[in-house]
Amino acid sequence: MPELPEVEVVRAGLERHVVGASIEAVEVLHPRPVRRDHRGPTGFAAALVGQRIEAVRRRGKYFWLALANGDALLGHLGMSGQMLLHEPGALDERHLRVRFTLAAPAPLVEEGTPAPVTRPLEMRFVDQRMFGGLVVSAGGAELPAEIVHIARDPIDPEFDDDEFVRRARRRTSAVKRLLLDQGLISGVGNIYADEALWRARLNGERPGDRLTGPVLRELLGHVRDVMGQALAQGGTSFDALYVNVNGESGYFDRSLDAYGQEGEPCGRCGTAIRRVAFMNRSSFFCPTCQRPPRARRAGRR
């Protein structure tokens, strides 16, 4: 599933190309991606046509296009969703679900200079597995009501490190589960959690209430470092399902130290990386550098 860096790459790409554009037409080719919009496919399209895109924003793994009327087009990529940009007439993707025809914004020109001709642009929501989706959020330009429960992410300038540490230290849950708790910290998924834990030399099963403030702050620093490096490399792509708005894959998967490295030598100590089952997925860690926690004594928290 795309994580924060992948969604941020898509958000930034949309921001470069669609801010200032107006939505001229919307074609819903399959109803499932707009299933959460109470208006239905026809009403979904009608709510968007004629609207100007003012900004492209993100919280955690959600992104949205802020519209001039105060509403928002809120999106989640799910397991295989893609937001792609094409010139009209480009060959349709096999799993194209929603097509938006945009009137491209006119570029700024000096007074007295003829404005260049602008071509329409197509924004396409492509989703093979259709776990992702789109919805028009009424009044959601600043923050859609559908995602107000989601915490800020660690690269958000307003993320509160002190609050994260305070809440994490009150929890008995394993630290990896805390990193994946979108109500506590958003945008961190399985891949980057494993990578940050490896860098911090922490086993993902260590309970939050048995970690000190400095240890949790160091972990946050590693989360930010991993995400920053992934952003610089366009995200992580293991197959053709994650791409940016131009259809290009990221290549941070070539820099992974733990995730997906089962049997490979740890980059620090040489011990073979181990894989264990975790929440219907997998966790990858070094059994030497990331020793499991000792069992709690009976009668103690």
Side-chain angles (χ1 to χ4, degrees):
M1 179 179 292
E3 299 183 24
L4 185 153
E6 291 75 48
V7 180
E8 175 59 20
V9 167
V10 171
R11 186 210 66 78
L14 291 173
E15 183 178 59
R16 285 194 298 272
H17 296 287
V18 307
V19 171
S22 296
I23 302 172
E24 291 191 329
V26 179
E27 184 180 5
V28 179
L29 301 171
H30 196 292
R32 183 167 172 78
V34 298
R35 61 192 178 278
R36 294 188 178 89
D37 196 301
H38 66 88
R39 304 167 185 82
T42 302
F44 169 85
L48 294 170
V49 171
Q51 292 301 315
R52 174 186 164 92
I53 300 168
E54 298 291 330
V56 186
R57 301 185 172 114
R58 179 190 56 77
R59 175 164 288 193
K61 302 174 188 179
Y62 287 84
F63 65 93
W64 67 94
L65 278 59
L67 306 176
N69 68 347
D71 291 346
L73 172 60
L74 175 64
H76 192 284
L77 298 178
M79 293 289 291
S80 58
Q82 302 169 355
M83 287 295 283
L84 304 177
L85 297 173
H86 291 291
E87 290 189 358
L91 186 67
D92 285 355
E93 293 78 6
R94 178 181 178 184
H95 302 292
L96 175 60
R97 308 304 185 189
V98 186
R99 186 200 322 271
F100 304 86
T101 302
L102 308 180
L108 296 175
V109 296
E110 295 182 5
E111 188 175 352
T113 303
V117 176
T118 59
R119 296 180 178 180
L121 182 69
E122 280 192 5
M123 181 173 68
R124 300 178 179 181
F125 184 70
V126 178
D127 193 355
Q128 176 180 330
R129 299 172 184 169
M130 291 196 288
F131 292 135
L134 303 169
V135 63
V136 178
S137 175
E142 292 301 322
L143 178 63
E146 293 83 351
I147 59 171
V148 293
H149 63 286
I150 294 177
R152 294 185 182 275
D153 62 68
I155 64 173
D156 187 321
E158 296 187 37
F159 183 85
D160 190 333
D161 289 24
D162 293 337
E163 179 67 6
F164 170 80
V165 170
R166 185 187 67 80
R167 293 178 63 189
R169 295 196 66 207
R170 295 175 62 183
R171 305 271 287 276
T172 59
S173 299
V175 64
K176 182 171 178 179
R177 289 178 180 266
L178 296 180
L179 289 178
L180 301 182
D181 183 346
Q182 301 297 293
L184 180 65
I185 179 172
S186 70
V188 184
N190 206 35
I191 297 173
Y192 299 116
D194 279 357
E195 290 299 298
L197 288 165
W198 181 86
R199 294 188 183 196
R201 300 175 183 248
L202 281 176
N203 188 287
E205 291 301 314
R206 292 276 299 275
D209 65 346
R210 293 172 67 177
L211 298 175
T212 66
V215 166
L216 286 167
R217 291 179 189 280
E218 180 184 352
L219 176 60
L220 273 178
H222 289 303
V223 169
R224 291 185 173 113
D225 288 344
V226 168
M227 288 185 166
Q229 291 170 21
L231 279 169
Q233 297 181 42
T236 303
S237 300
F238 291 106
D239 53 32
L241 294 182
Y242 165 67
V243 294
N244 65 15
V245 295
N246 297 314
E248 300 165 339
S249 296
Y251 51 94
F252 188 65
D253 56 297
R254 304 173 192 173
S255 305
L256 296 174
D257 292 302
Y259 187 87
Q261 306 302 305
E262 181 183 15
E264 295 297 321
C266 169
R268 277 190 301 257
C269 72
T271 304
I273 296 293
R274 185 176 297 172
R275 178 180 67 85
V276 295
F278 175 78
M279 295 173 61
N280 297 319
R281 290 173 282 182
S282 296
S283 283
F284 298 86
F285 67 99
C286 173
T288 299
C289 296
Q290 299 168 268
R291 294 189 180 279
R294 294 190 297 270
R296 293 182 185 272
R297 294 181 181 178
R300 293 185 59 185
R301 288 191 60 196

